[in-house]
Amino acid sequence: MAEASVPSGRDPPIADQLKIKSALDDIEDICLRNRNANGLAIITGTTNAQGIVDDVQNMYKTFHDHLKFAVLAPVNPSYDSLACLIQAVSHYDKYPDRYRVIAFYSAGHGGIDEDGHPYIKDSAENKLFIEEGILSPFHPDNSPNLGDRKRLFFFDCCLSYADDESIKNHHSMRIPRLRHCLVAFATSVSEKSSGDIGKGGIWTRYLHENLKTDASLTSILDKTNEQVVKETQEGKVQGPHYVSGIGPINLRDLNPSLSSEPEPQEVPPAPKQTSSPNPSGVEDFILNKTPQRQDVFKLLKSKSTKWDDIARELRVDSKRREELRKDVSINSDKKLEEVLTTWIDSETTPVTWKTVIEKLDKELALKKMAKDVKKYLKRQDVVEKYSEMDDYEP
């Protein structure tokens, strides 16, 4: 069968180059921290609805804990930030050799237009068309850096039409069969994706459990789809389906010649370094100030939404990390705030911005954060010097 091409009837999103650069930095950081992972997974929910949060948490645990993938999990991303992340993932050129699979999972709202083009929507109702915005960057011709790595796409969203009655009987959807790619949907055309609060979507619920088994991916999808059809046949009928351009693949055995089940490894701490008394020209009166917790929280949160990664990097007690991991009553933002508060309070001497920089500089994976702190402080230096100017806006 000849390989289909991605339809070009709609221009891809205009990617902000600065956001792509930031996303590339995030990918590099997570690859450094997880050099022995089996691949990279992007797990995202396009709204903060509880059922979708449940889906994201389930798939995160499956890919990270059971399949041993490095995971990026942007929370409720906007249309443009998700498009930029996709561009970055598809063009990154330094993936470790062990990374045999790049996976993308999205839960949230979606639909299909009158021409059969499926899309997902962010919380502001902006549409990201799946063909041009997500699949096209991963087309083998557009992502040569990925080589023969498998690209997997999972969408748990509705594929229903708009309210226009004249197009509701249109029963075709344009999804190409691409080499090295598998695209799976929780529903068929004109159907809605079902789920329950506390359990998540029906399709994702079965999928994340079946992915833990030692079976080929297509067998897992076939079993999942059968389970969903059986459960929904008495109510809102839901017919999952997938389009595959890959051969048999077992996600639990991607690197059999290297090890049967590798544990993701973090980069060991760099040797202790002596910090300059005035790093990067930041004034002493700024360095010697005590940072406000909300400042540190905001600064680090902008670089990572994975509280558990930051907790490990900051050497937060493993028992406390496990307690937070099991606590489903608070979201990831609150967990990150708790991690940073614990870190600051653990110091025996008063924490200053200089202390923050020194601690970050000691961790290889956090060196970029140290640089960002210095940039932030330089700006605070300027703000304080000119704070009395009425027309100055930081």
Side-chain angles (χ1 to χ4, degrees), residues 15 20 23-24 27 40 42 72 82-95 102-104 132-147 149 151 153 181:
I20 292 178
L24 286 169
I27 295 168
L40 175 67
I42 309 302
L72 282 173
L82 184 56
C84 290
L85 176 59
I86 289 166
Q87 289 285 340
V89 171
S90 63
H91 288 84
Y92 185 65
D93 60 357
K94 297 178 183 177
Y95 288 113
I102 305 298
F104 176 88
E132 292 85 355
I134 300 176
L135 298 185
S136 181
F138 287 94
H139 188 290
D141 292 343
N142 298 332
S143 56
N145 292 331
L146 295 184
R149 289 180 173 89
R151 294 89 150 154
F153 305 89
C181 297

Side-chain angles (χ1 to χ4, degrees), residues 45-47 52 76-79 82 106-111 119-130 157-158 160:
T46 55
T47 77
I52 293 171
N76 192 18
S78 64
Y79 163 97
L82 184 56
S106 175
H109 298 307
Y119 56 81
I120 59 176
K121 294 191 294 186
D122 65 13
S123 57
E125 299 292 309
N126 296 308
K127 299 176 182 177
L128 180 60
F129 281 84
I130 289 173
C157 62
C158 301
S160 50

Side-chain angles (χ1 to χ4, degrees), residues 7 28 34 62 69 76 84 145 198 236 238 242 248 256-257 268 283 319 321 348-349 368 378:
E28 184 164 48
N34 298 273
T62 297
F69 272 55
N76 192 18
C84 290
N145 292 331
K236 296 180 180 179
Q238 189 171 327
Y242 63 90
S257 63
E283 295 289 347
K319 182 178 179 181
R321 295 204 314 264
T348 56
T349 56
K368 183 179 181 301
K378 281 186 180 180

Side-chain angles (χ1 to χ4, degrees), residues 335-372:
K335 291 179 181 180
L336 178 57
E337 190 168 12
E338 171 68 18
V339 164
L340 297 175
T341 300
T342 300
W343 173 52
I344 291 175
D345 289 346
S346 68
E347 295 300 303
T348 56
T349 56
V351 174
T352 65
W353 279 116
K354 183 179 178 181
T355 308
V356 171
I357 293 173
E358 288 175 343
K359 283 185 74 86
L360 295 178
D361 258 334
K362 291 177 184 177
E363 309 295 335
L364 184 59
L366 290 174
K367 279 187 174 293
K368 183 179 181 301
M369 286 188 184
K371 293 180 181 178
D372 291 325

Side-chain angles (χ1 to χ4, degrees), residues 107-379:
H109 298 307
I112 189 168
D113 72 2
E114 64 275 14
D115 295 319
H117 297 289
Y119 56 81
I120 59 176
K121 294 191 294 186
D122 65 13
S123 57
E125 299 292 309
N126 296 308
K127 299 176 182 177
L128 180 60
F129 281 84
I130 289 173
E131 300 153 278
E132 292 85 355
I134 300 176
L135 298 185
S136 181
F138 287 94
H139 188 290
D141 292 343
N142 298 332
S143 56
N145 292 331
L146 295 184
D148 62 354
R149 289 180 173 89
K150 306 304 185 226
R151 294 89 150 154
L152 312 179
F153 305 89
F154 305 93
F155 298 97
D156 194 342
C157 62
C158 301
L159 290 177
S160 50
Y161 289 103
D163 294 332
D164 186 349
E165 294 290 339
S166 66
I167 65 172
K168 283 190 175 181
N169 292 324
H170 182 85
H171 291 290
S172 64
M173 181 170 68
R174 299 180 62 184
I175 288 295
R177 186 187 304 275
L178 298 176
R179 182 164 39 96
H180 305 317
C181 297
L182 181 146
V183 187
F185 291 91
T187 63
S188 291
V189 176
S190 78
E191 296 176 352
K192 293 186 176 181
S193 177
S194 303
D196 302 296
I197 294 177
K199 296 181 178 180
I202 294 174
W203 183 70
T204 294
R205 187 195 322 155
Y206 284 118
L207 178 62
H208 97 88
E209 288 296 338
N210 292 334
L211 281 171
K212 301 174 185 177
T213 64
D214 190 17
S216 70
L217 180 57
T218 50
S219 296
I220 287 172
L221 288 170
D222 289 338
K223 179 180 179 180
T224 298
N225 295 352
E226 290 173 4
Q227 291 170 317
V228 172
V229 169
K230 181 178 181 180
E231 180 166 336
T232 60
Q233 62 185 353
E234 301 296 332
K236 296 180 180 179
V237 178
Q238 189 171 327
H241 68 288
Y242 63 90
V243 177
S244 178
I246 66 176
I249 180 175
N250 186 328
L251 294 180
R252 291 177 61 85
D253 194 24
L254 292 172
N255 290 287
S257 63
L258 299 178
S259 66
S260 58
E261 195 167 294
E263 291 288 342
Q265 295 182 359
E266 296 181 349
V267 176
K272 185 174 181 179
Q273 300 177 2
T274 303
S275 299
S276 165
N278 194 349
S280 301
V282 180
E283 295 289 347
D284 285 337
F285 80 95
I286 289 288
L287 283 178
N288 293 326
K289 284 194 170 187
T290 299
Q292 298 298 305
R293 290 178 185 170
Q294 60 267 29
D295 289 339
V296 181
F297 173 61
K298 180 179 178 181
L299 185 62
L300 297 192
K301 182 177 183 296
S302 69
K303 303 304 171 189
S304 172
T305 56
K306 290 184 61 177
W307 67 269
D308 51 343
D309 277 352
I310 291 181
R312 284 195 298 271
E313 290 157 4
L314 297 180
R315 303 295 189 267
V316 172
D317 179 70
S318 59
K319 182 178 179 181
R320 181 56 183 145
R321 295 204 314 264
E322 185 62 24
E323 291 174 350
L324 286 172
R325 189 175 292 111
K326 292 179 179 179
D327 190 348
V328 297
S329 66
I330 56 176
N331 61 26
S332 59
D333 283 357
K334 288 294 183 182
K335 291 179 181 180
L336 178 57
E337 190 168 12
E338 171 68 18
V339 164
L340 297 175
T341 300
T342 300
W343 173 52
I344 291 175
D345 289 346
S346 68
E347 295 300 303
T348 56
T349 56
V351 174
T352 65
W353 279 116
K354 183 179 178 181
T355 308
V356 171
I357 293 173
E358 288 175 343
K359 283 185 74 86
L360 295 178
D361 258 334
K362 291 177 184 177
E363 309 295 335
L364 184 59
L366 290 174
K367 279 187 174 293
K368 183 179 181 301
M369 286 188 184
K371 293 180 181 178
D372 291 325
V373 171
K374 294 171 189 176
K375 292 178 183 177
Y376 174 78
L377 294 181
K378 281 186 180 180
R379 187 169 181 273

